Amino acid sequence: MPSSASSSPGDTAAAPPREPDLQAHFDRTIARDQRVEPRDWMPEGYRRTLIRQIAQHAHSEIIGMQPEGAWITRAPSLRRKAILFAKVQDEAGHGLYLYSAAETLGADRDDLTDRLIEGRQKYSSIFNYPTPTFADVGVIGWFVDGAAICNQVPLCRSSYGPYARAMVRVCKEESFHQRQGYELLRTMMTGTQAQRDMVQDAVDRWWWPSLMMFGPPDDDSPNSAQSMAWRIKRHSNDELRQKFVDMTVPQAEKLGVTLPDPELKWNEERGHHDFGTPDFSELMRVIKGDGPCNAERMARRRTAHEEGAWVREAAAAHAAKQARREEKERAA
Ligand code: BYC
């Protein structure tokens, strides 16, 4: 188990450490596959990259509550409602761990929220697609949580300690989410023809957007090389996309659905499935705000923020009261 780079050169030295020494210490930490912790010196670019990725990840979890959350009041049974409720709550929890991880880097949570609400920070493209039927709930669990697992299991070994540790718990929960989605779809596939058609229709709509979740192809990914050198990311976007396809094809066969890609076939030589190219111009359009549900998702997030103002005010008033009481006790 790699240990933290616990002592930076500045910890005990009388003279302030020089930047080249700090940089060399950081480089050694990364090269030895140890963890960088909040108290350690880190290059400004590393800090900025982490805040960017962790904040986007947190925003994705929070916005990601909406597509499935829309089905909580319409779930077809009490059991399905309870399951869905718990899953959506887990996503809120993931957002909170991630905002906390970003705070260890000096980011201010209110500022991150403002950036999301004002459209200055991104969230995952996948949550800008609609959920017109209950099969979408199952397919989100199977594909979207499945893709999240492929992407996030390697992040459990990310070089930044708080992010890596947050991912361990998130991945355990995502794995449970994926299985609940698959179980829901299996139930629907053993139901009526109308239910089977509903599942196939949802698979057709979510397949390509799910492949796009992994980001642009490696040649067009401006951040990958540096993030991999810093061991924030462990695998490239295309490597993870391939892993997801290889993992999902046998599951689709077992379920009895067809993945909507005529180019999908096993390549014996590569030991992987060949597959078609997602429409990356669609990904770019959705990222820039022009997806089917971008406006709706942002409007809902803004309203939720405004409606939550009283909670923030009450928490601040309580904290102020607490601080006054502690001050009085100290003075007594
Ligand atoms: N959507 O250089 P690249 C979940 C942006 S939530 C939007 O390859 P990078 C769940 C990218 O940010 C899971 N934007 O970037 C929740 C960059 O823009 P900036 C969400 C995207 O960072 C509820 C630009 O395009 N997962 O599981 O090296 C229910 C160039 O890309 C997307 C995470 O957040 C996209 N799909 O790699 C169910 C995982 N793709 O910042 C499930 C953590 C790319 O330069 N994040 N962009 O302006 C990552 O692993 C990486 O940030 C990415 C992108 C692979 C997403």
Side-chain angles (χ1 to χ4, degrees):
M1 182 78 179
S3 66
S4 148
S6 53
S7 62
S8 75
D11 280 355
T12 50
R18 296 175 322 123
E19 177 136 347
D21 295 338
L22 293 166
Q23 178 73 52
H25 183 76
F26 171 84
D27 292 344
R28 273 198 306 277
T29 303
I30 300 292
R32 289 175 185 160
D33 219 356
Q34 293 175 326
R35 297 280 173 271
V36 177
E37 295 296 340
R39 63 180 173 271
D40 295 332
W41 182 91
M42 60 188 85
E44 210 31 52
Y46 179 81
R47 184 188 300 278
R48 272 201 313 273
T49 296
L50 278 166
I51 293 176
R52 175 185 67 81
Q53 178 165 326
I54 298 173
Q56 284 178 13
H57 195 161
H59 299 330
S60 304
E61 298 282 358
I62 298 299
I63 297 276
M65 295 164 72
Q66 293 187 36
E68 292 163 284
W71 277 97
I72 290 175
T73 54
R74 295 175 292 160
S77 68
L78 184 59
R79 177 171 174 265
R80 292 291 172 199
K81 191 193 282 274
I83 292 170
L84 187 53
F85 225 137
K87 179 183 192 276
V88 172
Q89 276 187 333
D90 282 353
E91 282 149 11
H94 298 172
L96 298 186
Y97 314 147
L98 286 159
Y99 284 125
S100 300
E103 281 178 323
T104 67
L105 292 154
D108 177 73
R109 173 135 165 230
D110 288 338
D111 177 51
L112 297 181
T113 303
D114 288 345
R115 282 168 192 260
L116 169 68
I117 284 174
E118 290 160 15
R120 289 184 288 131
Q121 247 171 8
K122 298 183 171 76
Y123 61 90
S124 181
S125 52
I126 193 73
F127 303 115
N128 293 306
Y129 291 85
T131 45
T133 74
F134 199 66
D136 291 291
V137 170
V139 173
I140 289 179
W142 179 29
F143 283 173
V144 178
D145 288 281
I149 292 165
C150 290
N151 172 275
Q152 290 169 25
V153 166
L155 292 175
C156 298
R157 294 185 295 117
S158 176
S159 58
Y160 187 57
Y163 190 31
R165 288 189 289 275
M167 281 302 105
V168 173
R169 178 149 178 197
V170 168
C171 284
K172 283 186 182 150
E173 292 176 354
E174 300 290 28
S175 150
F176 185 61
H177 294 172
Q178 190 207 19
R179 273 175 278 171
Q180 74 76 34
Y182 196 72
E183 187 268 342
L184 165 57
L185 297 177
R186 281 185 67 150
T187 306
M188 291 185 79
M189 289 302 284
T190 52
T192 63
Q193 187 56 44
Q195 286 175 305
R196 282 192 288 280
D197 292 346
M198 211 185 270
V199 173
Q200 183 61 57
D201 171 65
V203 165
D204 291 346
R205 286 183 287 105
W206 287 91
W207 176 247
W208 293 108
S210 300
L211 293 190
M212 291 173 204
M213 264 183 91
F214 294 94
D218 293 352
D219 292 346
D220 289 329
S221 165
N223 300 300
S224 278
Q226 183 60 74
S227 287
M228 288 175 75
W230 277 329
R231 299 195 178 169
I232 295 172
K233 276 169 86 160
R234 295 278 172 160
H235 302 285
S236 76
N237 299 355
D238 287 334
E239 283 167 2
L240 293 172
R241 202 173 352 256
Q242 177 74 66
K243 192 171 165 36
F244 172 73
V245 172
D246 289 339
M247 175 181 98
T248 310
V249 169
Q251 295 170 349
E253 279 163 12
K254 197 153 178 60
L255 196 59
V257 295
T258 309
L259 297 174
D261 179 359
E263 293 177 50
L264 192 60
K265 64 169 188 305
W266 177 250
N267 182 325
E268 192 63 53
E269 211 171 296
R270 291 200 310 121
H272 292 290
H273 292 87
D274 290 337
F275 57 100
T277 307
D279 178 359
F280 287 113
S281 64
E282 177 180 321
L283 172 66
M284 290 306 145
R285 274 200 311 279
V286 176
I287 291 179
K288 288 193 180 123
D290 193 18
C293 299
N294 294 60
E296 186 185 325
R297 301 289 183 243
M298 289 303 287
R300 181 75 199 96
R301 183 67 194 87
R302 280 191 203 105
T303 306
H305 188 64
E306 283 157 19
E307 287 174 356
W310 71 272
V311 178
R312 294 189 295 280
E313 280 159 21
H318 179 71
K321 196 168 115 189
Q322 199 90 331
R324 276 197 305 276
R325 186 179 298 157
E326 279 167 21
E327 199 171 325
K328 220 165 147 188
E329 278 167 12
R330 269 200 304 277

